[in-house]
Amino acid sequence: DAKTTQPPSMDCAEGRAANLPCNHSTISGNEYVYWYRQIHSQGPQYIIHGLKNNETNEMASLIITEDRKSSTLILPHATLRDTAVYYCIVRVGTGANSKLTFGKGITLSVRP
Amino acid sequence: EAQVTQNPRYLITVTGKKLTVTCSQNMNHEYMSWYRQDPGLGLRQIYYSMNVEVTDKGDVPEGYKVSRKEKRNFPLILESPSPNQTSLYFCASSSPISPGANVLTFGAGSRLTVL
């Protein structure tokens, strides 16, 4: 699986959009981009995933650049409860479950 | 409710006393995995299993064993625990939700302290 690079931390104001960047310059054509988050010491929680197209669900939006070498997770209206560590990972899809490295993620702090 | 269940959630033990952390999932997932999480090091994969009787090492397998005799269970075994295995442990499972995609479901975590 391709490696991802995320800044260690960022913050944003409550109610504003939080844009979390991720670089995955060595991504392969069949690798998906996934985002998870971990609040305190709870188990990580799936947020969203995508392959080429931008994706949106009730939690967030995922913007993937045309060359697929980077992506941005957007929390449109951040709340204090969105304070967490966010992990960006890439992995091959069906039938290729294997080693899966989460890395250190990016710590998002939402301030009042 | 679809979930991954780990037990125990908290455990304090002593060096050398064998212990097992159980993990069970009720979603009929093929893939299961164990991670440990330590301050400043993120989530590191210990072992994973792609199906019954199929297991493989992750990034930090030393000092651990696993087994996958049934699809729903994936216990983590510490034969002779040492203080450097004090950590927060997570079990996870996954199965494709759509062609080409795999989403992991994590357990609540097991905090282990080895004295």
Short mmCIF file of all heavy atoms in Angstrom, two decimals, chain B residues 62-92:
data_model
loop_
_atom_site.label_atom_id
_atom_site.label_comp_id
_atom_site.label_asym_id
_atom_site.label_seq_id
_atom_site.Cartn_x
_atom_site.Cartn_y
_atom_site.Cartn_z
N GLU B 62 6.64 -9.20 17.08
CA GLU B 62 7.49 -9.86 18.07
C GLU B 62 6.81 -9.88 19.44
O GLU B 62 6.35 -8.85 19.94
CB GLU B 62 8.84 -9.14 18.19
CG GLU B 62 9.70 -9.19 16.92
CD GLU B 62 9.22 -8.22 15.86
OE1 GLU B 62 8.50 -7.25 16.20
OE2 GLU B 62 9.54 -8.45 14.67
N GLY B 63 6.78 -11.06 20.05
CA GLY B 63 6.22 -11.22 21.38
C GLY B 63 4.74 -11.55 21.39
O GLY B 63 4.15 -11.69 22.46
N TYR B 64 4.16 -11.69 20.22
CA TYR B 64 2.73 -11.97 20.10
C TYR B 64 2.48 -13.22 19.26
O TYR B 64 3.26 -13.57 18.41
CB TYR B 64 1.99 -10.80 19.44
CG TYR B 64 2.17 -9.47 20.12
CD1 TYR B 64 3.17 -8.59 19.69
CD2 TYR B 64 1.36 -9.10 21.18
CE1 TYR B 64 3.34 -7.36 20.31
CE2 TYR B 64 1.52 -7.87 21.80
CZ TYR B 64 2.51 -7.01 21.36
OH TYR B 64 2.67 -5.80 21.97
N LYS B 65 1.36 -13.86 19.53
CA LYS B 65 0.86 -14.94 18.69
C LYS B 65 -0.63 -14.71 18.44
O LYS B 65 -1.30 -14.05 19.23
CB LYS B 65 1.04 -16.30 19.37
CG LYS B 65 2.46 -16.80 19.42
CD LYS B 65 2.57 -18.09 20.21
CE LYS B 65 1.69 -19.19 19.70
NZ LYS B 65 1.84 -20.46 20.45
N VAL B 66 -1.12 -15.26 17.35
CA VAL B 66 -2.55 -15.19 17.05
C VAL B 66 -2.99 -16.55 16.53
O VAL B 66 -2.17 -17.39 16.15
CB VAL B 66 -2.88 -14.10 16.01
CG1 VAL B 66 -2.64 -12.71 16.56
CG2 VAL B 66 -2.11 -14.33 14.73
N SER B 67 -4.29 -16.71 16.50
CA SER B 67 -4.86 -17.89 15.85
C SER B 67 -6.19 -17.51 15.23
O SER B 67 -6.83 -16.56 15.67
CB SER B 67 -5.04 -19.05 16.83
OG SER B 67 -6.05 -18.73 17.78
N ARG B 68 -6.60 -18.23 14.21
CA ARG B 68 -7.88 -17.97 13.56
C ARG B 68 -8.52 -19.32 13.23
O ARG B 68 -8.52 -19.80 12.11
CB ARG B 68 -7.69 -17.14 12.28
CG ARG B 68 -8.99 -16.65 11.69
CD ARG B 68 -9.42 -15.34 12.23
NE ARG B 68 -10.71 -14.90 11.71
CZ ARG B 68 -10.86 -14.21 10.58
NH1 ARG B 68 -9.80 -13.92 9.82
NH2 ARG B 68 -12.08 -13.83 10.20
N LYS B 69 -9.08 -19.93 14.26
CA LYS B 69 -9.72 -21.24 14.10
C LYS B 69 -11.17 -21.10 13.65
O LYS B 69 -11.73 -22.02 13.04
CB LYS B 69 -9.65 -22.02 15.40
CG LYS B 69 -8.23 -22.39 15.82
CD LYS B 69 -8.24 -23.28 17.06
CE LYS B 69 -6.85 -23.80 17.39
NZ LYS B 69 -5.93 -22.70 17.76
N GLU B 70 -11.76 -19.98 13.98
CA GLU B 70 -13.14 -19.71 13.56
C GLU B 70 -13.17 -18.34 12.91
O GLU B 70 -12.35 -17.47 13.24
CB GLU B 70 -14.09 -19.68 14.77
CG GLU B 70 -14.03 -20.89 15.65
CD GLU B 70 -14.75 -20.60 16.95
OE1 GLU B 70 -14.15 -19.96 17.83
OE2 GLU B 70 -15.93 -20.99 17.08
N LYS B 71 -14.13 -18.13 12.05
CA LYS B 71 -14.20 -16.87 11.32
C LYS B 71 -14.45 -15.70 12.27
O LYS B 71 -13.90 -14.61 12.07
CB LYS B 71 -15.32 -16.93 10.29
CG LYS B 71 -15.23 -15.90 9.20
CD LYS B 71 -16.27 -16.18 8.15
CE LYS B 71 -16.09 -15.31 6.94
NZ LYS B 71 -17.09 -15.58 5.89
N ARG B 72 -15.23 -15.88 13.29
CA ARG B 72 -15.62 -14.76 14.13
C ARG B 72 -14.59 -14.37 15.19
O ARG B 72 -14.64 -13.28 15.72
CB ARG B 72 -16.96 -15.07 14.81
CG ARG B 72 -16.93 -16.23 15.77
CD ARG B 72 -18.31 -16.50 16.36
NE ARG B 72 -18.70 -15.42 17.25
CZ ARG B 72 -19.83 -14.72 17.13
NH1 ARG B 72 -20.68 -15.00 16.17
NH2 ARG B 72 -20.12 -13.76 17.95
N ASN B 73 -13.65 -15.25 15.51
CA ASN B 73 -12.73 -15.00 16.62
C ASN B 73 -11.27 -14.87 16.17
O ASN B 73 -10.80 -15.64 15.31
CB ASN B 73 -12.82 -16.12 17.66
CG ASN B 73 -14.18 -16.19 18.30
OD1 ASN B 73 -14.80 -15.16 18.58
ND2 ASN B 73 -14.67 -17.40 18.55
N PHE B 74 -10.57 -13.95 16.80
CA PHE B 74 -9.16 -13.74 16.46
C PHE B 74 -8.42 -13.33 17.73
O PHE B 74 -8.12 -12.15 17.96
CB PHE B 74 -9.07 -12.65 15.38
CG PHE B 74 -7.71 -12.49 14.77
CD1 PHE B 74 -6.94 -13.57 14.38
CD2 PHE B 74 -7.19 -11.21 14.54
CE1 PHE B 74 -5.70 -13.42 13.79
CE2 PHE B 74 -5.96 -11.03 13.94
CZ PHE B 74 -5.21 -12.14 13.57
N PRO B 75 -8.10 -14.28 18.61
CA PRO B 75 -7.44 -13.93 19.87
C PRO B 75 -5.98 -13.52 19.70
O PRO B 75 -5.27 -14.05 18.84
CB PRO B 75 -7.57 -15.22 20.69
CG PRO B 75 -7.66 -16.31 19.65
CD PRO B 75 -8.41 -15.70 18.50
N LEU B 76 -5.55 -12.61 20.55
CA LEU B 76 -4.15 -12.17 20.60
C LEU B 76 -3.54 -12.76 21.86
O LEU B 76 -4.05 -12.55 22.95
CB LEU B 76 -4.08 -10.64 20.64
CG LEU B 76 -2.68 -10.04 20.71
CD1 LEU B 76 -1.93 -10.25 19.40
CD2 LEU B 76 -2.76 -8.54 21.04
N ILE B 77 -2.43 -13.48 21.69
CA ILE B 77 -1.81 -14.20 22.80
C ILE B 77 -0.45 -13.60 23.09
O ILE B 77 0.38 -13.43 22.19
CB ILE B 77 -1.66 -15.69 22.44
CG1 ILE B 77 -3.03 -16.29 22.09
CG2 ILE B 77 -1.01 -16.46 23.61
CD1 ILE B 77 -2.96 -17.52 21.24
N LEU B 78 -0.25 -13.29 24.37
CA LEU B 78 1.07 -12.86 24.84
C LEU B 78 1.59 -13.99 25.72
O LEU B 78 1.14 -14.15 26.86
CB LEU B 78 0.97 -11.55 25.61
CG LEU B 78 0.72 -10.27 24.78
CD1 LEU B 78 -0.71 -10.20 24.27
CD2 LEU B 78 1.06 -9.04 25.61
N GLU B 79 2.51 -14.77 25.18
CA GLU B 79 3.01 -15.96 25.88
C GLU B 79 3.78 -15.60 27.15
O GLU B 79 3.64 -16.23 28.18
CB GLU B 79 3.91 -16.78 24.96
CG GLU B 79 3.19 -17.43 23.79
CD GLU B 79 2.62 -18.79 24.13
OE1 GLU B 79 2.72 -19.22 25.30
OE2 GLU B 79 2.05 -19.44 23.23
N SER B 80 4.60 -14.57 27.04
CA SER B 80 5.41 -14.13 28.19
C SER B 80 5.49 -12.61 28.14
O SER B 80 6.47 -12.04 27.67
CB SER B 80 6.80 -14.75 28.12
OG SER B 80 7.57 -14.37 29.25
N PRO B 81 4.45 -11.95 28.64
CA PRO B 81 4.39 -10.49 28.52
C PRO B 81 5.57 -9.79 29.18
O PRO B 81 6.08 -10.24 30.22
CB PRO B 81 3.07 -10.13 29.23
CG PRO B 81 2.28 -11.39 29.23
CD PRO B 81 3.28 -12.50 29.31
N SER B 82 5.97 -8.69 28.57
CA SER B 82 7.03 -7.86 29.14
C SER B 82 6.52 -6.42 29.22
O SER B 82 5.55 -6.05 28.56
CB SER B 82 8.28 -7.92 28.25
OG SER B 82 7.99 -7.41 26.97
N PRO B 83 7.17 -5.60 30.05
CA PRO B 83 6.70 -4.22 30.23
C PRO B 83 6.59 -3.43 28.92
O PRO B 83 5.74 -2.54 28.81
CB PRO B 83 7.74 -3.62 31.17
CG PRO B 83 8.20 -4.79 31.99
CD PRO B 83 8.24 -5.94 31.03
N ASN B 84 7.42 -3.75 27.92
CA ASN B 84 7.33 -2.99 26.65
C ASN B 84 6.09 -3.37 25.83
O ASN B 84 5.87 -2.81 24.75
CB ASN B 84 8.60 -3.14 25.81
CG ASN B 84 8.85 -4.56 25.34
OD1 ASN B 84 7.98 -5.43 25.43
ND2 ASN B 84 10.03 -4.81 24.81
N GLN B 85 5.30 -4.30 26.34
CA GLN B 85 4.03 -4.61 25.69
C GLN B 85 2.86 -3.90 26.37
O GLN B 85 1.71 -4.11 26.00
CB GLN B 85 3.80 -6.12 25.67
CG GLN B 85 4.79 -6.84 24.75
CD GLN B 85 4.60 -8.33 24.75
OE1 GLN B 85 4.76 -9.00 25.78
NE2 GLN B 85 4.25 -8.87 23.58
N THR B 86 3.19 -3.06 27.32
CA THR B 86 2.17 -2.18 27.89
C THR B 86 1.71 -1.25 26.79
O THR B 86 2.50 -0.51 26.20
CB THR B 86 2.76 -1.36 29.06
OG1 THR B 86 3.04 -2.26 30.14
CG2 THR B 86 1.78 -0.29 29.53
N SER B 87 0.41 -1.28 26.51
CA SER B 87 -0.09 -0.53 25.36
C SER B 87 -1.61 -0.58 25.32
O SER B 87 -2.26 -1.27 26.11
CB SER B 87 0.48 -1.12 24.06
OG SER B 87 0.15 -0.32 22.93
N LEU B 88 -2.16 0.16 24.36
CA LEU B 88 -3.59 0.10 24.06
C LEU B 88 -3.74 -0.73 22.78
O LEU B 88 -3.13 -0.42 21.76
CB LEU B 88 -4.14 1.51 23.86
CG LEU B 88 -5.61 1.65 23.48
CD1 LEU B 88 -6.52 1.03 24.55
CD2 LEU B 88 -5.96 3.13 23.29
N TYR B 89 -4.54 -1.77 22.87
CA TYR B 89 -4.67 -2.70 21.76
C TYR B 89 -6.06 -2.60 21.13
O TYR B 89 -7.07 -2.50 21.82
CB TYR B 89 -4.45 -4.14 22.25
CG TYR B 89 -3.03 -4.41 22.65
CD1 TYR B 89 -2.60 -4.14 23.96
CD2 TYR B 89 -2.10 -4.92 21.75
CE1 TYR B 89 -1.29 -4.37 24.34
CE2 TYR B 89 -0.79 -5.15 22.12
CZ TYR B 89 -0.40 -4.88 23.41
OH TYR B 89 0.91 -5.11 23.78
N PHE B 90 -6.06 -2.65 19.80
CA PHE B 90 -7.32 -2.62 19.06
C PHE B 90 -7.40 -3.80 18.11
O PHE B 90 -6.45 -4.12 17.41
CB PHE B 90 -7.45 -1.34 18.23
CG PHE B 90 -7.65 -0.10 19.04
CD1 PHE B 90 -6.60 0.77 19.28
CD2 PHE B 90 -8.90 0.19 19.57
CE1 PHE B 90 -6.78 1.91 20.03
CE2 PHE B 90 -9.09 1.33 20.33
CZ PHE B 90 -8.03 2.19 20.56
N CYS B 91 -8.59 -4.39 18.06
CA CYS B 91 -8.90 -5.41 17.08
C CYS B 91 -9.81 -4.78 16.03
O CYS B 91 -10.63 -3.89 16.35
CB CYS B 91 -9.60 -6.58 17.76
SG CYS B 91 -10.06 -7.93 16.66
N ALA B 92 -9.70 -5.22 14.79
CA ALA B 92 -10.53 -4.68 13.73
C ALA B 92 -10.89 -5.79 12.75
O ALA B 92 -10.18 -6.78 12.62
CB ALA B 92 -9.82 -3.54 13.00
#
